[in-house]
Amino acid sequence: MTDDFAALLERGRTGDKRAVARLISLIEQGGETARSVLTQLWPHTGRARIFGITGPPGAGKSTLTNALTKCWRAKGLRVGIIAVDPTSPFTGGAILGDRVRMGDLTLDTGVFIRSMGTRGQLGGLSPATAGAVHALDACGYDLILLETVGVGQSEVAVMEIADLVLVLNVPGLGDDVQAIKAGILEIGDLFAVNKADRPGADRTANELRAMLELGEEKRPLPVLLVSASQGTGVTELCEELERQYLLLNGNGELARRRALRLRSELLTLVREGIEQRLLRPLLDSPMFAQSLERFQSRTESPYRWAEEFVTQISGGGPGYELHKS
Ligand code: GDP
C-alpha cells in the first residue's frame, strides 16, 4: 500500500499528470487512505509558491489564470491550478469545468488543472483543498494558483491557504468599486482591473486606489490594469506577483503566514477528531436527548451541564472558562 503511494508520488514528481490526479483523488476520498498519502507527501511540501486569485464571477479569473500560467511556463516553471468552483459542488460539474478550462493548456505536461467544489452553499473550501495543494507542492509544481469566486466564505478561506492573494475587478459593474466588498479589499496583497480594453478601466482602478488609501495598510498596494483576453499587462502582472512574493518573503510576512496556516491546519485536524470521537457520539446518545428535555423544561441549565461534561471527558480538573475562547 505504502509503496504504491511512494510510486505514485515518484511518477507525479516526474510530471505524470495521471499520477498527480490519482494522488488528489485519494486525498479527496478521506479516511486512512488520505492520511497515509498526506503523511508520505508531507516531507516534500513547503516549496511551492501559492497564489490565490479571487474576484466577482465573470471578472476573467479563468482567462487570467491561463494567461499568467503561460507567462510562468515561458520561464520553465511548472504550474498547478486549483479552481474552486462554488457553482459545481458535484464532481460531474467539476470535471466538465476542467475540460472547459484546460483549453490549449491541456497538452502542456507542465500544467495541472483541477476543479474542486466548495463546502456547501456558503462557500468555504472543501476539506480536501489544502491536501490537493500539498499534493501539487510535493509533486514539484513551482507555482500553485488557487482560483476562487469572491463570494461567500471561499475567498477568505483561500487567503488562509495562499501565500499571497490577487484580487481581480472589472470596469462596468455599476458605477463603483463597491461591487468589491470591503472584506475582499482586506484580503488582497495586490489588485488588478481586468478587461482594461473596455471603457472605464482607469476610473475603476483609481477608485480602487482611493478605497485602498482609506484602508489601514501601511504600504501602498499595487493596482494594475490588465486585459487577460488581449494579453496586455499580463507580463507586468506576472512580474508584480513575483515581486510581492519576494517582498513578503523578505520582510518575514510569508513565514508568519505559513506558520499561521500550519497552526490552523493542525487545529482543523484535531477539531475534526474531537468532533468525530467525542461530540458526535454524544449528540447521538439517549443521554443527550434526555438532557435536552431537561433544559427545555428548565429543570436544568445547559451552562453547568456543559461544564461538567467537559470536565468529565478531560479527566477531571477545573471547569472551563465560559466565553473565553
Ligand atoms: P471568471 O468567471 O472570473 O473565471 O471569468 P472568465 O475568465 O470565464 O471570463 C468571463 C468572460 O470575460 C469571458 O467571456 C471572457 O472571454 C471575458 N474576458 C476575460 N478577460 C477579458 C478581457 O481582458 N477583456 C474582455 N473584453 N473580455 C474578457
Side-chain angles (χ1 to χ4, degrees):
M1 211 36 179
T2 304
D3 286 345
D4 284 353
F5 298 153
L8 268 183
L9 175 59
E10 210 33 63
R11 279 169 45 206
R13 289 175 71 78
T14 60
D16 179 344
K17 290 205 257 187
R18 287 180 58 182
V20 181
R22 179 87 188 118
L23 282 171
I24 295 179
S25 297
L26 291 171
I27 292 168
E28 281 179 321
Q29 265 174 34
E32 187 47 37
T33 307
R35 185 178 286 130
S36 301
V37 170
L38 286 163
T39 303
Q40 291 230 9
L41 295 182
W42 190 253
H44 305 280
T45 60
R47 298 187 179 98
R49 284 178 268 169
I50 306 164
F51 294 164
I53 300 179
T54 189
K61 294 178 295 298
S62 306
T63 316
L64 183 66
T65 300
N66 281 21
L68 287 171
T69 298
K70 285 182 189 152
C71 181
W72 282 309
R73 287 298 293 143
K75 298 183 182 194
L77 298 171
R78 287 172 70 203
V79 183
I81 300 167
I82 296 178
V84 178
D85 189 351
T87 58
S88 58
F90 308 108
T91 316
I95 286 169
L96 182 65
D98 283 347
R99 293 214 188 97
V100 174
R101 285 162 187 286
M102 292 286 263
D104 49 352
L105 293 175
T106 323
L107 297 175
D108 188 337
T109 50
V111 180
F112 181 91
I113 306 182
R114 179 86 161 209
S115 293
M116 298 184 88
T118 51
R119 191 204 302 256
Q121 286 282 309
L122 280 177
L125 302 183
S126 94
T129 312
V133 168
H134 292 323
L136 292 172
D137 188 353
C139 287
Y141 288 89
D142 303 288
L143 282 153
I144 300 171
L145 305 181
L146 264 173
E147 180 197 317
T148 183
V149 177
V151 290
Q153 306 286 311
S154 42
E155 82 269 11
V156 177
V158 151
M159 181 188 61
E160 282 173 9
I161 292 189
D163 292 328
L164 71 80
V165 176
L166 164 68
V167 175
L168 204 59
N169 196 37
V170 275
L173 282 183
D175 106 64
D176 51 8
V177 184
Q178 304 303 336
I180 300 197
K181 296 166 291 171
I184 214 174
L185 286 182
E186 278 161 28
I187 70 166
D189 294 295
L190 72 164
F191 296 79
V193 176
N194 188 35
K195 309 198 185 184
D197 51 293
R198 290 204 181 155
D202 279 323
R203 206 187 73 185
T204 306
N206 285 334
E207 284 176 359
L208 199 50
R209 289 187 187 106
M211 277 178 84
L212 288 168
E213 271 168 28
L214 299 176
E216 287 172 7
E217 280 292 335
K218 283 163 201 74
R219 64 196 170 104
L221 297 177
V223 178
L224 282 78
L225 286 168
V226 64
S227 173
S229 60
Q230 320 258 315
T232 46
V234 173
T235 312
E236 290 79 356
L237 181 55
C238 185
E239 274 160 15
E240 189 60 36
L241 278 160
E242 291 182 5
R243 216 176 68 82
Q244 291 298 321
Y245 180 86
L246 290 177
L247 257 169
L248 293 177
N249 196 14
N251 67 16
E253 176 62 14
L254 184 68
R256 195 189 68 87
R257 287 184 187 182
R258 289 189 164 193
L260 271 178
R261 195 192 305 159
L262 265 181
R263 185 176 183 275
S264 118
E265 197 171 353
L266 179 63
L267 272 179
T268 305
L269 292 171
V270 173
R271 277 208 188 98
E272 191 179 18
I274 290 176
E275 172 103 25
Q276 276 182 33
R277 290 285 171 264
L278 297 175
L279 291 183
R280 206 162 302 158
L282 170 75
L283 295 178
D284 293 342
S285 71
M287 181 270 279
F288 189 66
Q290 287 155 12
S291 303
L292 271 183
E293 276 173 24
R294 291 199 302 278
F295 306 149
Q296 221 152 12
S297 63
R298 302 316 191 253
T299 47
E300 189 177 343
S301 128
Y303 307 104
R304 268 310 154 222
W305 189 95
E307 182 194 19
E308 278 159 20
F309 174 75
V310 172
T311 301
Q312 203 182 324
I313 60 170
S314 55
Y320 74 93
E321 299 218 69
L322 190 65
H323 299 158
K324 297 274 186 177
S325 296

